[in-house]
């Protein structure tokens, strides 16, 4: 017993006998509890020592395995880099072989047999186009690409005004909407808080598809007109072109597009029925009809009145087409596959006849995310503004004279 035991004995002797017995039992109980606690502490120390030893053994076993895994990862990374380099070389070799053995060119429009007269329109059909400018260049290759950001949904359109001197960026998100975003400059659009920098323009009618265009201070877009007299439903095979003044925010003109039985011109873009384009020559429209549901049609529009000046049946197929653009009066159609792959200009049609199919280049676009929902050519900058699965991309183009051989 400890040194305090005599004191406890004296205290017990000084108490009555009944209380002395109770105190004796309490002391014995406390001593038993303390002994049990000391035993449990000793067991915990033993278990902690055993666990520490097991942890050291486990660490000694795992260190060699981790070192082996790190070496294996470095080996796999090196093999992946080697494979990526081989794939890049293979793509360059495929591009070279394609230039040496190009795909069979589309037939010229003069040799294309038509299946009878088309629908009655205001413009001339399938006649050579007289170029009004000194435009004589064509696309040679896609020189570079720059991915700016991801904004909005998977489908949309963004562009600059090719006739304007401002740096404003116009963004139309979605295939059916009535609000356009206008950014003061490209840098404001690339910011993470871009939506705060934009002014919103509410349109009187919602657009359909991704075929909109900003040209000369006006927004040109297609809408579904209301049904016929007494009908409240939309006509799915007819579209109305709207000319909207962006500064005044008013509709200055509109016209029902003079083609019956409209169908989506691009097999991979089911929401677009009319794709508007601008180049050095003015305003164009790419479309397709049920009369020839295998090929695209091209129309030259009057930007002042929206009248159709001239129309052409092109040899470019609709199947696997995803987008198109016009340069110097020549239509370039971009194709892809339904599981998204590398897009390529695979068919071209020059309305003036200056560029023959044998002279046309069929360049690839760099690898991207999905498929182009829209492509807008800026003749002043000679680059394309692309919308690819929600990403906004700029493609810089390299040009050459039409007369030069590929």
């Amino acid at each position: 017993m400890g040194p305090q035991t005599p004191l406890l004995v004296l205290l017990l002797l000084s108490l009555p006998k009944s209380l002395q017995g109770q105190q004796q039992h309490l002391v014995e109980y406390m001593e038993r509890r303390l002994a049990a606690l000391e035993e449990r502490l000793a067991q915990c120390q033993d278990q902690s020592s055993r666990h520490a030893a097991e942890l050291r053994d486990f660490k000694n076993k795992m260190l060699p395995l981790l070192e082996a895994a790190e070496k294996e990862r470095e080996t796999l990374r090196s093999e992946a880099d080697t494979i990526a380099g081989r794939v890049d070389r293979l793509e360059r070799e495929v591009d070279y072989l394609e230039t040496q053995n190009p795909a069979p060119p589309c037939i010229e429009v003069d040799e294309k047999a038509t299946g009878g007269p088309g629908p009655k329109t205001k413009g001339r059909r399938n006649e050579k186009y007289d170029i009004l400018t000194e435009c004589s260049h064509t696309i040679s290759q896609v020189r570079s690409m720059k991915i700016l950001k991801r904004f909005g949904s998977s489908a949309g359109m963004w562009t600059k005004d090719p006739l304007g001197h401002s740096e404003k960026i116009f963004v139309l998100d979605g295939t059916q909407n009535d609000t356009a975003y206008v950014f003061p400059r490209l840098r404001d659009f690339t910011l993470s808080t871009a939506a705060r920098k934009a002014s919103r323009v509410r349109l009187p009618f919602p657009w359909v598809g991704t075929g909109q265009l900003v040209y000369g201070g006006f927004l040109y877009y297609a809408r579904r007109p209301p049904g016929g007299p007494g009908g409240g439903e939309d006509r799915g095979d007819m579209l109305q072109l709207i000319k909207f003044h962006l500064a005044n925010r008013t509709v200055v003109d509109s016209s029902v597009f003079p083609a019956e039985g409209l169908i989506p011109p691009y097999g991979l873009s089911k929401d677009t029925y009319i794709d508007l384009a601008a180049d050095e020559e003015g305003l164009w429209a790419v479309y397709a009809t049920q009369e020839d549901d295998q090929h695209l049609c091209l129309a030259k529009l009057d930007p002042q009145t929206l009248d159709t000046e001239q129309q052409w049946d092109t040899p470019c197929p609709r199947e696997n087409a995803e987008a198109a653009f016009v340069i110097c009066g020549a239509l370039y159609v971009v194709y892809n596959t339904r599981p998204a792959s590398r897009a390529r200009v695979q068919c071209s049609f020059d309305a003036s006849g200056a560029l023959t199919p044998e002279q046309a280049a069929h360049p690839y676009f760099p690898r991207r995310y999905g498929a182009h929902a829209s492509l807008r050519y800026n003749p002043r900058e000679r680059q394309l503004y692309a919308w690819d699965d929600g990403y906004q991309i700029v493609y810089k183009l390299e040009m050459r004279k039409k007369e030069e051989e590929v």
Side-chain angles (χ1 to χ4, degrees), residues 27-89:
V27 170
E28 292 175 355
Y29 172 76
M30 294 296 295
E31 288 178 348
R32 289 196 303 269
R33 294 294 296 174
L34 289 173
L37 289 174
E38 290 176 354
E39 183 178 357
R40 292 182 64 180
L41 287 173
Q43 291 177 356
C44 289
Q45 290 177 353
D46 293 340
Q47 291 178 357
S48 297
S49 301
R50 186 169 60 254
H51 291 164
E54 292 176 353
L55 183 60
R56 285 193 298 271
D57 294 340
F58 179 75
K59 181 180 179 181
N60 294 332
K61 293 179 181 179
M62 289 301 298
L63 283 176
L65 296 177
L66 291 174
E67 292 177 357
E70 183 66 23
K71 292 179 180 178
E72 185 68 19
R73 189 179 70 169
E74 292 297 331
T75 302
L76 292 176
R77 181 182 297 174
S78 177
E79 292 178 355
D81 293 340
T82 302
I83 293 174
R86 290 178 179 176
V87 171
D88 290 338
R89 287 196 297 272

Side-chain angles (χ1 to χ4, degrees), residues 63-247:
L63 283 176
L65 296 177
L66 291 174
E67 292 177 357
E70 183 66 23
K71 292 179 180 178
E72 185 68 19
R73 189 179 70 169
E74 292 297 331
T75 302
L76 292 176
R77 181 182 297 174
S78 177
E79 292 178 355
D81 293 340
T82 302
I83 293 174
R86 290 178 179 176
V87 171
D88 290 338
R89 287 196 297 272
L90 180 60
E91 288 182 346
R92 290 194 295 268
E93 291 174 359
V94 169
D95 291 345
Y96 175 76
L97 292 176
E98 289 288 348
T99 58
Q100 300 300 313
N101 301 284
C106 301
I107 59 175
E108 294 187 38
V109 65
D110 291 343
E111 300 172 354
K112 183 173 184 272
T114 59
K120 293 182 179 180
T121 60
K122 299 179 182 179
R124 298 168 296 162
R125 196 169 191 87
N126 292 337
E127 296 183 7
K128 294 293 184 180
Y129 175 72
D130 295 329
I131 291 182
L132 304 177
T133 67
E134 296 181 357
C135 192
S136 61
H137 55 267
T138 179
I139 182 174
S140 174
Q141 65 177 350
V142 178
R143 187 172 62 186
S144 64
M145 67 176 289
K146 182 178 182 181
I147 303 171
L148 294 180
K149 66 177 305 176
R150 187 171 192 177
F151 181 90
S153 58
S154 59
M157 187 280 300
W158 76 296
T159 187
K160 281 185 181 180
D161 188 345
L163 296 184
H165 297 287
S166 70
E167 295 299 317
K168 290 183 178 181
I169 298 295
F170 301 89
V171 179
L172 280 71
D173 181 26
T175 58
Q176 292 187 18
N177 206 337
D178 63 354
T179 302
Y181 295 90
V182 182
F183 297 86
R185 60 187 62 83
L186 185 61
R187 185 180 64 181
D188 296 322
F189 177 58
T190 58
L191 297 176
S192 58
T193 58
R196 301 178 185 176
K197 298 286 185 178
S199 60
R200 291 169 172 80
V201 179
R202 185 74 177 270
L203 305 179
F205 312 106
W207 66 75
V208 58
T210 58
Q212 308 84 16
L213 179 70
V214 176
Y215 186 76
F218 298 93
L219 172 63
Y220 297 84
Y221 69 96
R223 69 174 286 253
R224 295 191 185 278
E233 297 183 356
D234 292 344
R235 290 287 305 277
D237 60 346
M238 293 182 62
L239 287 179
Q240 183 181 19
L241 296 181
I242 302 296
K243 181 180 179 182
F244 181 79
H245 198 294
L246 288 167

Side-chain angles (χ1 to χ4, degrees), residues 21 24-25 33 63 103 165 178 184 202 215 231 234 258 285 287 328 337 341 351 364 375 387-388 401:
Q24 181 67 31
H25 290 303
R33 294 294 296 174
L63 283 176
H165 297 287
D178 63 354
R202 185 74 177 270
Y215 186 76
D234 292 344
Y287 65 100
C328 284
T337 57
S341 180
Y364 279 101
L375 288 169
W387 192 292
D388 175 14
K401 292 293 185 179

Side-chain angles (χ1 to χ4, degrees), residues 1 5 7-32:
M1 298 180 69
T5 302
L7 179 60
L8 290 174
V9 172
L10 292 175
L11 290 173
L12 290 174
L13 293 175
S14 64
L15 293 174
K17 291 183 178 181
S18 60
L19 294 176
Q20 290 178 4
Q22 295 179 0
Q23 294 294 334
Q24 181 67 31
H25 290 303
L26 179 61
V27 170
E28 292 175 355
Y29 172 76
M30 294 296 295
E31 288 178 348
R32 289 196 303 269

